[in-house]
Amino acid sequence: MHRCVRAAAFCAVLLVPTSLVAQGSPESADPSRDGGPRGNAPALTAVRASQAPRIDGKLDDTAWLDADVATDFVQFRPEPGGPASQPTEVRVLYTESAIYVGARMYDSDPSGIIKRLARRDEQVTADDFLVGFDSYFDRRTAFVFAVSVAGVQRDWLMFGDTNMDPSWDAVWESATSTDEDGWVAEMRIPLSQLRFSRPESPATGMTWGVNFQRELAREGETTIWAPRPDDGSRLVSAFGTLSGLDGIEPRRNLEIRPYVLTSATRAPSEPDNPFYSSTAMSQSLGGDLKYGITNNLTL
């Protein structure tokens, strides 16, 4: 079993690698565990886009102009609750197949933006942007996506409110750009990579939990949209809300990963043995399959 860890930043859970994995769902959530409704947590409305924006790191598509804007980020560190030193604006769009996130990170000193390349899922000191979706709206489970200004993607799964599974990987798109105002991150996250249930009343639409986070590396500053305790005792349960998600359907995910393995063995020759070869080759074929049986059960 993987080791579960806790962290004060966006984090997630380590899953047990068994053949059947069950995730949390709204039906299993305890509404009273964090005091019922989310109180004064901020709210944002997602806007349905008639035409999906291009993922090019620029927020110049017409669809972004009509989107609700998340602002008023506050520090998580170094001064919890203090005002952010640089403004951040985030917008959320959706279509029947994907969620789109557009973030504008203003910066009064663009030359100070720290841009470092790294392998996928590797965290380095650099400016980056994160979004977490509590699509079950159970205050315990979230799917987190991060991209650095250099375009390096990270993603992980959260469960139990404060635990993380960095081994979870999704297939999604992102693009970034820098300019005289700072930098921009644009994301396209297919609905097939998320898990959610149909609303009990389709007429009222769907509500998810959501939070956004920005890292300003040169200042060692982390700012967040929905404040959370600086002791790390609450993460997903402190998310704000994302409403306006109408007419989207859960997708059943099917993932197949075939592989081919070839090996070679070298050993001293045996001149007196005509049936022995000093080089032996072998090949094998295989594959991994992952299928979403229900919205909260994956085989």
Side-chain angles (χ1 to χ4, degrees):
M1 181 184 294
H2 295 294
R3 180 172 58 89
C4 289
V5 297
R6 292 179 178 266
F10 265 125
C11 293
V13 242
L14 295 174
L15 301 179
V16 182
T18 57
S19 58
L20 284 175
V21 179
Q23 298 177 359
S25 66
E27 291 77 15
S28 63
D30 178 4
S32 64
R33 74 178 296 272
D34 66 8
R38 299 183 186 214
N40 296 322
L44 183 70
T45 301
V47 173
R48 190 180 189 103
S50 57
Q51 183 174 354
R54 298 184 303 272
I55 305 302
D56 55 7
K58 299 177 182 179
L59 303 180
D60 54 2
D61 296 272
T62 304
W64 292 118
L65 300 178
D66 299 325
D68 196 8
V69 185
T71 57
D72 299 326
F73 280 55
V74 298
Q75 288 190 43
F76 176 72
R77 62 180 182 187
E79 300 179 13
S85 65
Q86 305 290 338
T88 302
E89 296 179 351
V90 184
R91 296 167 171 83
V92 177
L93 302 172
Y94 71 97
T95 63
E96 62 181 10
S97 60
I99 294 285
Y100 296 83
V101 181
R104 157 62 75 176
M105 276 63 66
Y106 289 98
D107 200 314
S108 58
D109 181 17
S111 63
I113 294 174
I114 297 180
K115 184 176 183 179
R116 290 196 175 102
L117 286 174
R119 294 180 181 273
R120 193 186 195 280
D121 287 326
E122 181 180 352
Q123 185 172 7
V124 295
T125 301
D127 288 44
D128 65 8
F129 169 77
L130 300 80
V131 57
F133 291 110
D134 173 10
S135 52
Y136 280 126
F137 205 46
D138 63 2
R139 305 174 189 164
R140 297 187 180 191
T141 311
F143 303 90
V144 185
F145 305 86
V147 63
S148 74
V149 66
V152 179
Q153 291 184 348
R154 293 181 290 131
D155 46 31
W156 57 92
L157 175 69
M158 299 187 67
F159 71 92
D161 195 0
T162 59
N163 300 313
M164 76 176 282
D165 177 12
S167 68
W168 179 79
D169 287 315
V171 179
W172 53 288
E173 298 176 58
S174 63
T176 63
S177 66
T178 57
D179 55 30
E180 65 276 7
D181 293 322
W183 69 285
V184 170
E186 203 171 16
M187 301 176 173
R188 179 186 183 274
I189 302 166
L191 292 177
S192 62
Q193 304 303 298
L194 303 172
R195 295 290 179 269
F196 56 93
S197 300
R198 293 182 178 89
E200 294 182 4
S201 175
T204 61
M206 193 179 304
T207 299
W208 293 356
V210 71
N211 209 351
F212 311 110
Q213 178 174 304
R214 174 184 178 180
E215 298 290 338
L216 183 61
R218 71 176 180 275
E219 301 291 346
E221 180 183 281
T222 300
T223 55
I224 51 178
W225 179 62
R228 59 178 182 266
D230 58 6
D231 61 2
S233 59
R234 295 175 61 220
L235 292 179
V236 179
S237 60
F239 278 19
T241 57
L242 180 68
S243 59
L245 298 164
D246 301 329
I248 60 174
E249 294 289 331
R251 307 295 179 94
R252 290 192 177 182
N253 190 29
L254 174 63
E255 183 177 313
I256 301 174
R257 296 182 180 179
Y259 62 82
V260 179
L261 179 65
T262 301
S263 63
T265 302
R266 293 278 296 174
S269 61
E270 296 181 8
D272 298 331
N273 185 352
F275 302 103
Y276 179 80
S277 173
S278 59
T279 301
M281 303 291 295
S282 64
Q283 296 84 30
S284 62
L285 302 174
D288 296 324
L289 181 144
K290 182 168 69 173
Y291 178 64
I293 300 175
T294 67
N295 290 330
N296 58 10
L297 187 65
T298 299
L299 171 67

